[in-house]
Amino acid sequence: MTQSDTVVREERAATGNIVATGFNTGAESDLSKLDARLAHMAEIGCTGAEITATGLDAVVSCRLLPERVAQIREIMARYPLSYSMHAPIAINLMDEAHGDLMQKAATVSMELAAEIGAGAVVIHPGRCHPDDWAARPADLLAYELDRLRPVADRAAELGVAIAYENISPNRRVIAGEETSYSLDPRQLADQLAALDHDAVFACLDISHAQQGAVLWGFDMIAACEALAPWIGHIHYSDSTGLPATFPWTHEGERHFFGVGDMHAPKGMGSVDFEALADRLTVRPGTRIVIEIKRTFHNHAELATLKAAQDFAARVNGARA
């Protein structure tokens, strides 16, 4: 049993289905900075952390680098945190032109997570061109499942799980170059039901759900409620949901205007976290990972951690 497993088991007994709360590390190749970041999280009261696989240089050409992996594992084991890992966002199991490569990248992500002690691996669901989706959605959904099943089987063998995350209306979506059924959490629930694999659950990204609701015109909280039976992981941040439909250059400009995937602290967007918490159920062992931009860490880190902990307590209390 890993240190991460022990943390999850002990906190589940104390707190309910949501067992850990913390931040993501961001892409970090300097392992001394990763060490310092994890130490800081533990010091301020985090009980979990999400490692960003991109930038670690632990995988090259879809192969693990054993010495680098061992260094990362040793650093992570120093801290009493329940770990998850975010796989590269570029992984797309609906990409027919690069299917073998995408499946290979997803599989080695499971292997990396198992090696470093991360219990869940966040992956973004399939994306495609809107014209392809309009022409043959059923074929594309089936193709994704055919690619996802063997990755899920490998995850199960390794004792890790896949957290499939509803995506945001990113620049490619807004430009009409890409779309995904997972912009709507209800459709993600349908795909997970079709897969029905014990090693795969949903990662509810709250801000992404808000953005999808504004873009497509559905009830955000009702859509999250529909996904609830599958939720085993949560990404926590706020946004208005307004799409970034005009040119912008600096990340801070999105915050200034309040558009796009803001990754903002609670209260800086439009999500009603209390109403969501009162209607949300999640699976045992669920982790909350706070995803706010580094600029916000400078002045809102502790307040956001407290808000996420309060959200977890409210979800757990509502179902106690």
PDB file of all heavy atoms in Angstrom, residues 112-139:
ATOM      1  N   LEU A 112       3.268   5.640 -15.635  1.00  0.00           N
ATOM      2  CA  LEU A 112       3.958   6.666 -14.866  1.00  0.00           C
ATOM      3  C   LEU A 112       3.243   6.908 -13.541  1.00  0.00           C
ATOM      4  O   LEU A 112       3.881   6.991 -12.479  1.00  0.00           O
ATOM      5  CB  LEU A 112       4.033   7.967 -15.670  1.00  0.00           C
ATOM      6  CG  LEU A 112       4.619   9.176 -14.932  1.00  0.00           C
ATOM      7  CD1 LEU A 112       6.044   8.903 -14.470  1.00  0.00           C
ATOM      8  CD2 LEU A 112       4.558  10.421 -15.821  1.00  0.00           C
ATOM      9  N   ALA A 113       1.926   7.025 -13.581  1.00  0.00           N
ATOM     10  CA  ALA A 113       1.164   7.261 -12.356  1.00  0.00           C
ATOM     11  C   ALA A 113       1.393   6.147 -11.342  1.00  0.00           C
ATOM     12  O   ALA A 113       1.591   6.406 -10.147  1.00  0.00           O
ATOM     13  CB  ALA A 113      -0.319   7.385 -12.680  1.00  0.00           C
ATOM     14  N   ALA A 114       1.365   4.914 -11.811  1.00  0.00           N
ATOM     15  CA  ALA A 114       1.581   3.785 -10.911  1.00  0.00           C
ATOM     16  C   ALA A 114       2.973   3.832 -10.292  1.00  0.00           C
ATOM     17  O   ALA A 114       3.154   3.545  -9.101  1.00  0.00           O
ATOM     18  CB  ALA A 114       1.376   2.471 -11.660  1.00  0.00           C
ATOM     19  N   GLU A 115       3.951   4.228 -11.074  1.00  0.00           N
ATOM     20  CA  GLU A 115       5.337   4.274 -10.590  1.00  0.00           C
ATOM     21  C   GLU A 115       5.544   5.357  -9.542  1.00  0.00           C
ATOM     22  O   GLU A 115       6.332   5.171  -8.599  1.00  0.00           O
ATOM     23  CB  GLU A 115       6.293   4.499 -11.765  1.00  0.00           C
ATOM     24  CG  GLU A 115       6.491   3.284 -12.653  1.00  0.00           C
ATOM     25  CD  GLU A 115       7.308   2.196 -11.955  1.00  0.00           C
ATOM     26  OE1 GLU A 115       8.162   2.537 -11.116  1.00  0.00           O
ATOM     27  OE2 GLU A 115       7.082   1.009 -12.252  1.00  0.00           O
ATOM     28  N   ILE A 116       4.873   6.486  -9.674  1.00  0.00           N
ATOM     29  CA  ILE A 116       5.113   7.599  -8.750  1.00  0.00           C
ATOM     30  C   ILE A 116       4.110   7.651  -7.603  1.00  0.00           C
ATOM     31  O   ILE A 116       4.249   8.467  -6.697  1.00  0.00           O
ATOM     32  CB  ILE A 116       5.130   8.953  -9.493  1.00  0.00           C
ATOM     33  CG1 ILE A 116       3.776   9.279 -10.124  1.00  0.00           C
ATOM     34  CG2 ILE A 116       6.250   8.984 -10.532  1.00  0.00           C
ATOM     35  CD1 ILE A 116       3.714  10.654 -10.797  1.00  0.00           C
ATOM     36  N   GLY A 117       3.097   6.793  -7.640  1.00  0.00           N
ATOM     37  CA  GLY A 117       2.144   6.743  -6.540  1.00  0.00           C
ATOM     38  C   GLY A 117       0.952   7.668  -6.677  1.00  0.00           C
ATOM     39  O   GLY A 117       0.408   8.136  -5.676  1.00  0.00           O
ATOM     40  N   ALA A 118       0.546   7.947  -7.910  1.00  0.00           N
ATOM     41  CA  ALA A 118      -0.651   8.755  -8.159  1.00  0.00           C
ATOM     42  C   ALA A 118      -1.824   7.807  -8.426  1.00  0.00           C
ATOM     43  O   ALA A 118      -1.756   6.969  -9.324  1.00  0.00           O
ATOM     44  CB  ALA A 118      -0.439   9.691  -9.341  1.00  0.00           C
ATOM     45  N   GLY A 119      -2.901   7.971  -7.679  1.00  0.00           N
ATOM     46  CA  GLY A 119      -3.997   7.012  -7.770  1.00  0.00           C
ATOM     47  C   GLY A 119      -4.954   7.226  -8.915  1.00  0.00           C
ATOM     48  O   GLY A 119      -5.669   6.303  -9.317  1.00  0.00           O
ATOM     49  N   ALA A 120      -5.009   8.435  -9.452  1.00  0.00           N
ATOM     50  CA  ALA A 120      -5.924   8.750 -10.558  1.00  0.00           C
ATOM     51  C   ALA A 120      -5.179   9.551 -11.611  1.00  0.00           C
ATOM     52  O   ALA A 120      -4.311  10.371 -11.287  1.00  0.00           O
ATOM     53  CB  ALA A 120      -7.125   9.532 -10.062  1.00  0.00           C
ATOM     54  N   VAL A 121      -5.533   9.316 -12.871  1.00  0.00           N
ATOM     55  CA  VAL A 121      -4.901  10.000 -14.001  1.00  0.00           C
ATOM     56  C   VAL A 121      -5.983  10.742 -14.775  1.00  0.00           C
ATOM     57  O   VAL A 121      -6.901  10.134 -15.320  1.00  0.00           O
ATOM     58  CB  VAL A 121      -4.183   9.009 -14.935  1.00  0.00           C
ATOM     59  CG1 VAL A 121      -3.481   9.766 -16.060  1.00  0.00           C
ATOM     60  CG2 VAL A 121      -3.198   8.155 -14.160  1.00  0.00           C
ATOM     61  N   VAL A 122      -5.867  12.061 -14.817  1.00  0.00           N
ATOM     62  CA  VAL A 122      -6.845  12.882 -15.529  1.00  0.00           C
ATOM     63  C   VAL A 122      -6.499  12.892 -17.017  1.00  0.00           C
ATOM     64  O   VAL A 122      -5.355  13.161 -17.406  1.00  0.00           O
ATOM     65  CB  VAL A 122      -6.858  14.316 -14.987  1.00  0.00           C
ATOM     66  CG1 VAL A 122      -7.840  15.178 -15.789  1.00  0.00           C
ATOM     67  CG2 VAL A 122      -7.222  14.324 -13.508  1.00  0.00           C
ATOM     68  N   ILE A 123      -7.497  12.591 -17.838  1.00  0.00           N
ATOM     69  CA  ILE A 123      -7.364  12.627 -19.300  1.00  0.00           C
ATOM     70  C   ILE A 123      -8.566  13.386 -19.854  1.00  0.00           C
ATOM     71  O   ILE A 123      -9.685  13.258 -19.345  1.00  0.00           O
ATOM     72  CB  ILE A 123      -7.306  11.207 -19.900  1.00  0.00           C
ATOM     73  CG1 ILE A 123      -6.024  10.495 -19.465  1.00  0.00           C
ATOM     74  CG2 ILE A 123      -7.384  11.244 -21.428  1.00  0.00           C
ATOM     75  CD1 ILE A 123      -5.869   9.099 -20.046  1.00  0.00           C
ATOM     76  N   HIS A 124      -8.325  14.171 -20.906  1.00  0.00           N
ATOM     77  CA  HIS A 124      -9.420  14.873 -21.570  1.00  0.00           C
ATOM     78  C   HIS A 124     -10.081  13.957 -22.600  1.00  0.00           C
ATOM     79  O   HIS A 124      -9.379  13.286 -23.376  1.00  0.00           O
ATOM     80  CB  HIS A 124      -8.898  16.125 -22.258  1.00  0.00           C
ATOM     81  CG  HIS A 124      -8.587  17.240 -21.312  1.00  0.00           C
ATOM     82  ND1 HIS A 124      -8.491  18.555 -21.704  1.00  0.00           N
ATOM     83  CD2 HIS A 124      -8.364  17.245 -19.971  1.00  0.00           C
ATOM     84  CE1 HIS A 124      -8.212  19.313 -20.660  1.00  0.00           C
ATOM     85  NE2 HIS A 124      -8.124  18.536 -19.597  1.00  0.00           N
ATOM     86  N   PRO A 125     -11.400  13.925 -22.655  1.00  0.00           N
ATOM     87  CA  PRO A 125     -12.109  13.075 -23.610  1.00  0.00           C
ATOM     88  C   PRO A 125     -11.879  13.491 -25.064  1.00  0.00           C
ATOM     89  O   PRO A 125     -11.244  14.509 -25.361  1.00  0.00           O
ATOM     90  CB  PRO A 125     -13.573  13.244 -23.208  1.00  0.00           C
ATOM     91  CG  PRO A 125     -13.531  13.633 -21.779  1.00  0.00           C
ATOM     92  CD  PRO A 125     -12.310  14.511 -21.665  1.00  0.00           C
ATOM     93  N   GLY A 126     -12.466  12.702 -25.956  1.00  0.00           N
ATOM     94  CA  GLY A 126     -12.239  12.866 -27.381  1.00  0.00           C
ATOM     95  C   GLY A 126     -12.732  14.178 -27.951  1.00  0.00           C
ATOM     96  O   GLY A 126     -13.774  14.706 -27.551  1.00  0.00           O
ATOM     97  N   ARG A 127     -11.958  14.675 -28.906  1.00  0.00           N
ATOM     98  CA  ARG A 127     -12.296  15.891 -29.654  1.00  0.00           C
ATOM     99  C   ARG A 127     -12.150  15.596 -31.140  1.00  0.00           C
ATOM    100  O   ARG A 127     -11.367  14.731 -31.544  1.00  0.00           O
ATOM    101  CB  ARG A 127     -11.350  17.052 -29.295  1.00  0.00           C
ATOM    102  CG  ARG A 127     -11.504  17.596 -27.889  1.00  0.00           C
ATOM    103  CD  ARG A 127     -10.619  16.908 -26.882  1.00  0.00           C
ATOM    104  NE  ARG A 127      -9.204  17.167 -27.111  1.00  0.00           N
ATOM    105  CZ  ARG A 127      -8.221  16.427 -26.585  1.00  0.00           C
ATOM    106  NH1 ARG A 127      -8.500  15.369 -25.832  1.00  0.00           N
ATOM    107  NH2 ARG A 127      -6.966  16.735 -26.829  1.00  0.00           N
ATOM    108  N   CYS A 128     -12.892  16.343 -31.944  1.00  0.00           N
ATOM    109  CA  CYS A 128     -12.831  16.167 -33.396  1.00  0.00           C
ATOM    110  C   CYS A 128     -13.301  17.455 -34.062  1.00  0.00           C
ATOM    111  O   CYS A 128     -13.792  18.374 -33.405  1.00  0.00           O
ATOM    112  CB  CYS A 128     -13.695  14.991 -33.841  1.00  0.00           C
ATOM    113  SG  CYS A 128     -15.459  15.221 -33.514  1.00  0.00           S
ATOM    114  N   HIS A 129     -13.187  17.495 -35.375  1.00  0.00           N
ATOM    115  CA  HIS A 129     -13.669  18.649 -36.117  1.00  0.00           C
ATOM    116  C   HIS A 129     -15.203  18.648 -36.110  1.00  0.00           C
ATOM    117  O   HIS A 129     -15.831  17.579 -36.212  1.00  0.00           O
ATOM    118  CB  HIS A 129     -13.155  18.618 -37.557  1.00  0.00           C
ATOM    119  CG  HIS A 129     -13.342  19.918 -38.284  1.00  0.00           C
ATOM    120  ND1 HIS A 129     -14.550  20.275 -38.861  1.00  0.00           N
ATOM    121  CD2 HIS A 129     -12.492  20.960 -38.495  1.00  0.00           C
ATOM    122  CE1 HIS A 129     -14.426  21.477 -39.405  1.00  0.00           C
ATOM    123  NE2 HIS A 129     -13.191  21.910 -39.196  1.00  0.00           N
ATOM    124  N   PRO A 130     -15.815  19.807 -35.983  1.00  0.00           N
ATOM    125  CA  PRO A 130     -17.290  19.849 -35.954  1.00  0.00           C
ATOM    126  C   PRO A 130     -17.950  19.193 -37.158  1.00  0.00           C
ATOM    127  O   PRO A 130     -19.034  18.591 -37.014  1.00  0.00           O
ATOM    128  CB  PRO A 130     -17.592  21.355 -35.911  1.00  0.00           C
ATOM    129  CG  PRO A 130     -16.391  21.970 -35.270  1.00  0.00           C
ATOM    130  CD  PRO A 130     -15.228  21.146 -35.739  1.00  0.00           C
ATOM    131  N   ASP A 131     -17.334  19.267 -38.324  1.00  0.00           N
ATOM    132  CA  ASP A 131     -17.918  18.625 -39.505  1.00  0.00           C
ATOM    133  C   ASP A 131     -17.932  17.108 -39.351  1.00  0.00           C
ATOM    134  O   ASP A 131     -18.904  16.437 -39.746  1.00  0.00           O
ATOM    135  CB  ASP A 131     -17.144  19.008 -40.768  1.00  0.00           C
ATOM    136  CG  ASP A 131     -17.339  20.466 -41.146  1.00  0.00           C
ATOM    137  OD1 ASP A 131     -18.287  21.100 -40.631  1.00  0.00           O
ATOM    138  OD2 ASP A 131     -16.542  20.974 -41.963  1.00  0.00           O
ATOM    139  N   ASP A 132     -16.860  16.554 -38.801  1.00  0.00           N
ATOM    140  CA  ASP A 132     -16.805  15.107 -38.566  1.00  0.00           C
ATOM    141  C   ASP A 132     -17.856  14.690 -37.544  1.00  0.00           C
ATOM    142  O   ASP A 132     -18.522  13.656 -37.697  1.00  0.00           O
ATOM    143  CB  ASP A 132     -15.412  14.698 -38.087  1.00  0.00           C
ATOM    144  CG  ASP A 132     -14.355  14.878 -39.150  1.00  0.00           C
ATOM    145  OD1 ASP A 132     -14.693  14.802 -40.353  1.00  0.00           O
ATOM    146  OD2 ASP A 132     -13.180  15.101 -38.790  1.00  0.00           O
ATOM    147  N   TRP A 133     -18.002  15.508 -36.494  1.00  0.00           N
ATOM    148  CA  TRP A 133     -18.993  15.186 -35.465  1.00  0.00           C
ATOM    149  C   TRP A 133     -20.405  15.232 -36.034  1.00  0.00           C
ATOM    150  O   TRP A 133     -21.233  14.359 -35.724  1.00  0.00           O
ATOM    151  CB  TRP A 133     -18.863  16.155 -34.298  1.00  0.00           C
ATOM    152  CG  TRP A 133     -19.819  15.882 -33.193  1.00  0.00           C
ATOM    153  CD1 TRP A 133     -20.928  16.591 -32.855  1.00  0.00           C
ATOM    154  CD2 TRP A 133     -19.767  14.774 -32.275  1.00  0.00           C
ATOM    155  NE1 TRP A 133     -21.572  16.006 -31.776  1.00  0.00           N
ATOM    156  CE2 TRP A 133     -20.883  14.901 -31.410  1.00  0.00           C
ATOM    157  CE3 TRP A 133     -18.889  13.706 -32.107  1.00  0.00           C
ATOM    158  CZ2 TRP A 133     -21.131  13.981 -30.380  1.00  0.00           C
ATOM    159  CZ3 TRP A 133     -19.131  12.793 -31.090  1.00  0.00           C
ATOM    160  CH2 TRP A 133     -20.244  12.929 -30.245  1.00  0.00           C
ATOM    161  N   ALA A 134     -20.682  16.200 -36.866  1.00  0.00           N
ATOM    162  CA  ALA A 134     -22.011  16.317 -37.463  1.00  0.00           C
ATOM    163  C   ALA A 134     -22.315  15.133 -38.383  1.00  0.00           C
ATOM    164  O   ALA A 134     -23.467  14.698 -38.480  1.00  0.00           O
ATOM    165  CB  ALA A 134     -22.121  17.626 -38.240  1.00  0.00           C
ATOM    166  N   ALA A 135     -21.284  14.611 -39.031  1.00  0.00           N
ATOM    167  CA  ALA A 135     -21.481  13.553 -40.019  1.00  0.00           C
ATOM    168  C   ALA A 135     -21.603  12.165 -39.397  1.00  0.00           C
ATOM    169  O   ALA A 135     -22.379  11.335 -39.874  1.00  0.00           O
ATOM    170  CB  ALA A 135     -20.334  13.568 -41.027  1.00  0.00           C
ATOM    171  N   ARG A 136     -20.854  11.895 -38.317  1.00  0.00           N
ATOM    172  CA  ARG A 136     -20.835  10.516 -37.799  1.00  0.00           C
ATOM    173  C   ARG A 136     -20.495  10.458 -36.306  1.00  0.00           C
ATOM    174  O   ARG A 136     -19.470   9.886 -35.905  1.00  0.00           O
ATOM    175  CB  ARG A 136     -19.872   9.649 -38.586  1.00  0.00           C
ATOM    176  CG  ARG A 136     -18.492  10.232 -38.786  1.00  0.00           C
ATOM    177  CD  ARG A 136     -17.667   9.501 -39.842  1.00  0.00           C
ATOM    178  NE  ARG A 136     -16.284   9.890 -39.787  1.00  0.00           N
ATOM    179  CZ  ARG A 136     -15.339   9.254 -39.098  1.00  0.00           C
ATOM    180  NH1 ARG A 136     -15.650   8.159 -38.424  1.00  0.00           N
ATOM    181  NH2 ARG A 136     -14.099   9.681 -39.080  1.00  0.00           N
ATOM    182  N   PRO A 137     -21.315  11.035 -35.470  1.00  0.00           N
ATOM    183  CA  PRO A 137     -21.021  11.031 -34.031  1.00  0.00           C
ATOM    184  C   PRO A 137     -20.956   9.632 -33.429  1.00  0.00           C
ATOM    185  O   PRO A 137     -20.107   9.366 -32.571  1.00  0.00           O
ATOM    186  CB  PRO A 137     -22.172  11.852 -33.436  1.00  0.00           C
ATOM    187  CG  PRO A 137     -23.272  11.777 -34.451  1.00  0.00           C
ATOM    188  CD  PRO A 137     -22.572  11.733 -35.769  1.00  0.00           C
ATOM    189  N   ALA A 138     -21.843   8.741 -33.834  1.00  0.00           N
ATOM    190  CA  ALA A 138     -21.858   7.400 -33.249  1.00  0.00           C
ATOM    191  C   ALA A 138     -20.564   6.656 -33.546  1.00  0.00           C
ATOM    192  O   ALA A 138     -20.015   5.962 -32.674  1.00  0.00           O
ATOM    193  CB  ALA A 138     -23.061   6.613 -33.775  1.00  0.00           C
ATOM    194  N   ASP A 139     -20.055   6.789 -34.771  1.00  0.00           N
ATOM    195  CA  ASP A 139     -18.798   6.125 -35.133  1.00  0.00           C
ATOM    196  C   ASP A 139     -17.640   6.649 -34.300  1.00  0.00           C
ATOM    197  O   ASP A 139     -16.776   5.876 -33.857  1.00  0.00           O
ATOM    198  CB  ASP A 139     -18.492   6.338 -36.616  1.00  0.00           C
ATOM    199  CG  ASP A 139     -19.428   5.584 -37.536  1.00  0.00           C
ATOM    200  OD1 ASP A 139     -20.138   4.673 -37.042  1.00  0.00           O
ATOM    201  OD2 ASP A 139     -19.465   5.903 -38.735  1.00  0.00           O
TER     202      ASP A 139
END
